[in-house]
Amino acid sequence: MNIREINRSIQPLKDQLLQHSLYEKVRTIDDLHCFLENHVYAVWDFMSLLKALQQKLTCTTTPWLPIGNPEIRYLINEIVVAEETDLALDGRRMSHYEMYLDAMIQCGANVLPVQQFLTAIQKTQNIFVSINHADVHPNVRAFLDFTFRIIEEGKPHQIAAAFTFGREDLIPNMFTEILKRFQQNFPETDLSNLIYYFERHIALDGDEHGPMAMQMITELCEDDTSKWNEVLEVSQQALEKRIGLWNAIEAQLIQKAELV
């Protein structure tokens, strides 16, 4: 098995996400807020997958040792630099999660729940307890639980699979077009930071991080059939959890529309 075969096997699930009916239901600024307030958890847990890979595949302790494959170390560290300290629209350095929060605040979305969730993690020191008690849709809890089960299991190729195949290239370019249309139709709401975030993140994933992550999986699996099979299984599960997240947001939008 190889990357090409993995991509071919998971393409139907990716198509479900890229063609999901959720997008056509994001019609108002309130709808957009609902999307952002759920999707922010996926933005945050992406950072956790990345840091798990950095801990597994590079040396993050002292004394320093030349751990692992230098090519993989380079790939991980390059992605960490961009994801953790990228340039925001105003030129400041910040992580993509912090960029997303800034964009949410700018357009009036509620960031308090996700901030309270991160505070709870620091208090409990147990990610699974915090997920279980989070005031979010069950599908969001399932999404987060899956991520941290993979991290806890600790197999680098599985973490890399969740990181690579369940991520932001699953948001189509049409979503940024929706945002630009919103900016025209609702000029009183500033979406400039949000549009920048999506354009920046999707460009990085497509042009740089995506190919890097694919190379990382190839390096990690080499000719080990069992590892390739596990990559396929985790990739499918990650996509299914993302579909569940999209379904949850869509259900909330439908419920809101029915109450109006």
Side-chain angles (χ1 to χ4, degrees):
M1 193 176 291
N2 55 37
I3 285 292
R4 187 179 293 107
E5 291 173 36
I6 296 285
N7 276 317
R8 186 164 55 245
S9 296
I10 64 175
Q11 192 59 50
L13 289 169
K14 291 182 72 172
D15 289 342
Q16 280 189 55
L17 282 159
L18 292 169
Q19 298 162 16
H20 201 288
S21 51
L22 164 65
Y23 300 112
E24 65 189 33
K25 291 184 175 65
V26 181
R27 296 168 182 159
T28 68
I29 293 297
D30 281 345
D31 294 340
L32 179 61
H33 290 168
C34 180
F35 176 89
L36 300 175
E37 289 160 13
N38 285 275
H39 178 242
V40 66
Y41 293 93
V43 175
W44 172 76
D45 96 331
F46 177 80
M47 302 298 298
S48 299
L49 284 166
L50 176 59
K51 297 306 284 186
L53 284 171
Q54 189 179 36
Q55 290 165 15
K56 292 287 180 184
L57 301 173
T58 75
C59 185
T60 58
T61 58
T62 56
W64 179 86
L65 295 169
I67 289 172
N69 182 326
E71 284 296 322
I72 292 177
R73 291 202 301 263
Y74 171 78
L75 295 173
I76 286 294
N77 288 329
E78 278 288 298
I79 296 173
V80 167
V81 167
E83 293 290 340
E84 209 168 35
T85 55
D86 202 4
L87 282 174
L89 184 59
D90 63 5
R92 289 181 296 153
R93 291 280 177 190
M94 62 178 67
S95 70
H96 281 196
Y97 168 75
E98 291 163 312
M99 269 191 214
Y100 201 88
L101 282 191
D102 271 10
M104 288 178 69
I105 292 167
Q106 184 187 55
C107 74
N110 186 8
V111 299
L112 188 59
V114 72
Q115 290 177 324
Q116 290 175 333
F117 173 64
L118 265 63
T119 299
I121 293 169
Q122 293 174 306
K123 286 182 178 178
T124 64
Q125 294 294 300
N126 187 313
I127 183 63
F128 297 107
V129 169
S130 297
I131 290 170
N132 192 46
H133 288 91
D135 185 19
V136 294
H137 191 282
N139 288 15
V140 177
R141 282 199 290 272
F143 183 93
L144 293 169
D145 185 78
F146 168 76
T147 292
F148 285 93
R149 296 290 172 193
I150 293 295
I151 290 173
E152 185 178 56
E153 193 164 340
K155 294 182 179 180
H157 61 284
Q158 291 187 332
I159 300 171
F163 175 84
T164 301
F165 294 109
R167 303 295 106 195
E168 299 315 306
D169 66 338
L170 301 171
I171 297 179
N173 289 331
M174 64 171 271
F175 192 70
T176 55
E177 296 307 313
I178 291 172
L179 295 177
K180 289 174 182 177
R181 188 169 69 245
F182 270 29
Q183 188 68 93
Q184 292 175 341
N185 295 340
F186 306 102
E188 69 281 1
T189 302
D190 192 348
L191 298 177
S192 57
N193 284 345
L194 192 61
I195 292 169
Y196 175 83
Y197 168 86
F198 279 109
E199 288 184 335
R200 177 70 177 147
H201 207 90
I202 292 169
L204 278 174
D205 274 0
D207 298 337
E208 298 177 35
H209 296 178
M212 284 181 178
M214 299 287 183
Q215 183 181 342
M216 175 174 57
I217 288 176
T218 300
E219 297 274 357
L220 288 171
C221 292
E222 295 182 319
D223 297 322
D224 190 325
T225 301
S226 64
K227 286 184 177 180
W228 280 112
N229 288 336
E230 287 179 338
V231 164
L232 176 58
E233 182 181 0
V234 169
S235 302
Q236 290 170 330
Q237 291 172 338
L239 290 166
E240 287 164 358
K241 295 302 181 188
R242 176 63 77 114
I243 291 169
L245 176 60
W246 265 204
N247 290 345
I249 301 172
E250 183 177 39
Q252 290 172 59
L253 293 180
I254 291 170
Q255 186 178 37
K256 282 168 72 277
E258 289 173 347
L259 293 174
V260 174

